[in-house]
Amino acid sequence: MDERATSQKTGRLESLQPGQAIVYGGDRVAYVTAELAAAFKAGDRLLVAPDTGTLLHIPAAEKAIAAGAVGRAREAFAKMGEVTDAAISAFFDAFAANLEDDGRWGEIAAANAADVEKARARGRSTTRLAANEAMRGDMIAGLRAWRDAPPSRGRLVERVHHAGWSVEQLTAPLGVTGFVFEGRPNVFADATGVLRAGNTVVFRIGSDALGTAQAIVRAALDPAIDAAGLPAGAAALVDSAAHAAGWAMFADPRLALAVARGSGPAVAQLGAIARQAGTPVSLHGTGGAWMVADESAEAERFFAAAYHSLDRKVCNTLNTCCIVEARADELIPVFLDALARAGERRRGWKLHVAQDDLARLPAAVRAARGEVVRAEGPREEALVEALADDELGREWEWEETPEVSLKIVASAAEAAALFNAYSPRFDVSLIAEDPVAQARFYEAVDAPFVGDGFTRWVDGQYALNRPELGLSNWENGRLFARGGVLAGDGVFTVRARVRQTDPHLDRAGAPTPERRT
């Protein structure tokens, strides 16, 4: 047999044909569409999402943009060992001062207003996009928290003493962190937190907020890097609105960590791409908090917890409420009152009720109609709709109208089982005065964040005084050796360093022979 016919050959993919089979996952096949075949050119890249088989086309131009940003961050990381902790503190101070400067903020605000207008014209949500004064203040506070945080490079983790020698375990910078996040400009301040530990960062922001991001880089970020003497590229923006640029960035094996925040399916896809490249990931996708009121719940505490968990829509907003059957007649009105009062604080309310529990609501509530504010604008809707149990985990991405699901359960144990089956396994509270019930519930629910009051406490800066890079749920399993809050100073590796005082150490105990010369 001809040896050439049996030897494995490789080459570059330069074109695609309609219907061409692309093998993935070892035993599955995806097929090239006519549209993809026509768009693919020599120099482009093709990825396969391993969980869905989706073929992802990365044009050469987007690949180059991402590679350039990662390359600049990689070059900057090689120089960060020469940067003092004082210089890093000066960077955070200068970045905060630039955001505080009204002239610089005016440039950012103008770019943000244009982004908001374009997003509204496309019927997109602008709830988290608008860079208002509250967001500005939070960004400044977050940056100053990192300025004042103790340096974490070289922190002694452990020292083990032996006869004649000792070993130290020391924290060390990890490398380049890749960050993809949705259209929330404030996440810029969170992402730069990795510099505190001597890392560098490259990020891509959602297309809705790209203009705002470019203005922040131009008016505040890059000037702060220059003023503090940090290497250029220490915080690099992938300057593209294309999803393909994010795919290309997460497929780059030069990343030490990939962090993604946004919608569930998009985040899962990005995580799969990074894992294929061998990069560890921290994913913040599907959110939506749960609250359970059990037999021992105190009505006023339940009312307060529900009301204060519906002030705005973010990942830790109350999404699904369970009330035990034994207290349903008393606590359903309490919950409806809390929802209505939260609606007065915003603009109305919307309730989804498990199909079997609709009859528990007053007829007037079941028949109510009213204005509900959606991304495309306000519209009249039925305010109560039936919901299947397998939809209890659906996250309601509301704009101005608080939207939540309600389920009556036999017990807190049933609520815990429903949470584990249908939720993203993220954030849950049990309203109960019975400490035994609290202990049982804590052991039963599979979640990184468990409370006994309002759900909105789950936030790195609010709870731990550290702006977070991301919050992770347990939808895809528990996290290895870390909590659900990933903060900038949590991005590190550990190095071992030996201090040998006895030069004659030998594993077998052999003495050092005499030198011959």
Side-chain angles (χ1 to χ4, degrees):
M1 180 179 292
D2 187 345
E3 183 179 345
R4 291 174 298 177
T6 60
S7 62
Q8 180 176 320
K9 295 181 180 180
T10 63
R12 299 196 67 84
L13 183 65
E14 296 189 348
S15 65
L16 294 172
Q17 301 301 318
Q20 182 176 343
I22 306 294
V23 178
Y24 74 99
D27 59 357
R28 290 172 289 175
V29 177
Y31 295 95
V32 174
T33 65
E35 293 78 10
L36 175 57
F40 192 90
K41 308 296 181 186
D44 292 356
R45 187 173 182 183
L46 186 69
L47 299 179
V48 185
D51 49 350
T52 64
T54 303
L55 299 179
L56 306 174
H57 175 211
I58 302 175
E62 301 300 333
K63 181 173 67 173
I65 291 171
V70 174
R72 292 191 297 275
R74 181 69 181 174
E75 290 173 7
F77 178 70
K79 300 174 183 176
M80 285 295 288
E82 304 169 8
V83 176
T84 65
D85 290 324
I88 294 174
S89 296
F91 158 73
F92 289 116
D93 191 53
F95 194 0
N98 289 343
L99 293 177
E100 203 167 42
D101 181 273
D102 288 339
R104 293 178 186 271
W105 182 257
E107 181 180 343
I108 295 167
N112 181 252
D115 278 345
V116 169
E117 185 61 32
K118 286 186 287 187
R120 283 178 179 154
R122 297 198 302 270
R124 302 273 292 171
S125 172
T126 60
T127 304
R128 308 180 199 183
L129 174 59
N132 54 29
E133 284 300 315
M135 180 182 289
R136 179 188 185 187
D138 286 345
M139 292 174 70
I140 292 168
L143 290 166
R144 287 181 173 153
W146 286 126
R147 176 197 65 187
D148 299 335
S152 58
R153 292 186 295 181
R155 175 173 55 83
L156 180 65
V157 177
E158 180 184 26
R159 181 183 287 118
V160 179
H161 293 280
H162 302 273
W165 62 297
S166 63
V167 178
E168 296 173 344
Q169 298 261 60
L170 304 165
T171 62
L174 183 66
V176 179
T177 300
F179 205 116
V180 172
F181 51 96
E182 74 285 19
R184 295 178 62 182
N186 61 305
V187 181
F188 248 87
D190 301 340
T192 55
V194 300
L195 274 69
R196 177 75 276 176
N199 302 292
T200 57
V201 62
V202 54
F203 33 63
R204 178 194 176 272
I205 194 168
S207 58
D208 288 345
L210 181 58
T212 306
Q214 292 166 333
I216 291 173
V217 170
R218 185 171 57 249
L221 177 61
D222 279 353
I225 289 174
D226 292 341
L230 269 59
L237 175 69
V238 175
D239 201 356
S240 171
H243 290 294
W247 302 335
M249 184 179 85
F250 268 37
D252 195 317
R254 292 176 294 177
L255 295 184
L257 174 69
V259 181
R261 293 172 61 167
S263 65
V267 165
Q269 186 180 79
L270 285 165
I273 291 170
R275 289 189 184 102
Q276 280 191 128
T279 304
V281 301
S282 175
L283 306 179
H284 180 164
T286 306
W290 284 46
M291 183 178 294
V292 180
D294 92 331
E295 291 93 335
S296 66
E298 200 276 318
E300 286 302 317
R301 184 179 181 88
F302 178 44
F303 174 86
Y307 173 77
H308 292 297
S309 298
L310 291 168
D311 61 315
R312 62 187 291 245
K313 175 54 193 157
V314 284
C315 64
N316 55 29
T317 300
L318 175 59
N319 193 80
T320 303
C321 181
C322 296
I323 299 173
V324 295
E325 170 67 34
R327 297 288 302 283
D329 289 344
E330 177 189 355
L331 295 182
I332 287 175
V334 173
F335 176 72
L336 294 176
D337 189 20
L339 178 59
R341 295 299 295 273
E344 292 170 8
R345 193 178 183 183
R346 305 293 299 196
R347 289 180 62 181
W349 55 271
K350 177 84 176 189
L351 179 62
H352 303 266
V353 184
Q355 180 72 54
D356 293 343
D357 302 321
L358 271 173
R360 305 297 297 263
L361 270 60
V365 174
R366 296 199 304 269
R369 296 187 64 83
E371 182 182 88
V372 176
V373 180
R374 300 296 184 190
E376 61 273 16
R379 67 188 190 191
E380 183 180 315
E381 296 183 12
L383 298 185
V384 176
E385 294 183 2
L387 184 74
D389 280 2
D390 61 6
E391 286 284 295
L392 285 170
R394 180 177 175 182
E395 184 180 9
W396 304 112
E397 294 284 2
W398 52 270
E399 294 291 311
E400 290 294 332
T401 304
E403 189 166 7
V404 67
S405 299
L406 176 64
K407 168 72 175 174
I408 308 304
V409 294
S411 63
E414 182 190 357
L418 289 170
F419 175 87
N420 292 342
Y422 298 124
S423 84
R425 302 188 180 194
F426 176 51
D427 176 8
V428 60
S429 282
L430 176 68
I431 311 302
E433 298 303 304
D434 181 358
V436 174
Q438 289 284 358
R440 287 174 178 166
F441 189 79
Y442 180 82
E443 294 300 329
V445 291
D446 196 27
F449 304 105
V450 183
D452 62 358
F454 86 138
T455 62
R456 291 270 285 111
W457 67 273
V458 179
D459 178 275
Q461 188 162 340
Y462 184 81
L464 304 177
N465 297 322
R466 295 200 303 274
E468 85 246 0
L469 295 178
L471 300 170
S472 296
N473 62 34
W474 284 358
E475 193 169 20
N476 296 307
R478 299 191 176 200
L479 306 173
F480 176 69
R482 74 172 183 88
V485 177
L486 178 66
D489 58 358
V491 179
F492 62 87
T493 189
V494 176
R495 303 175 75 184
R497 185 173 187 177
V498 70
R499 307 284 188 177
Q500 184 175 335
T501 55
D502 180 358
H504 303 294
L505 291 175
D506 184 87
R507 292 292 296 271
T512 304
E514 297 228 357
R515 294 176 55 193
R516 292 195 175 98
T517 58

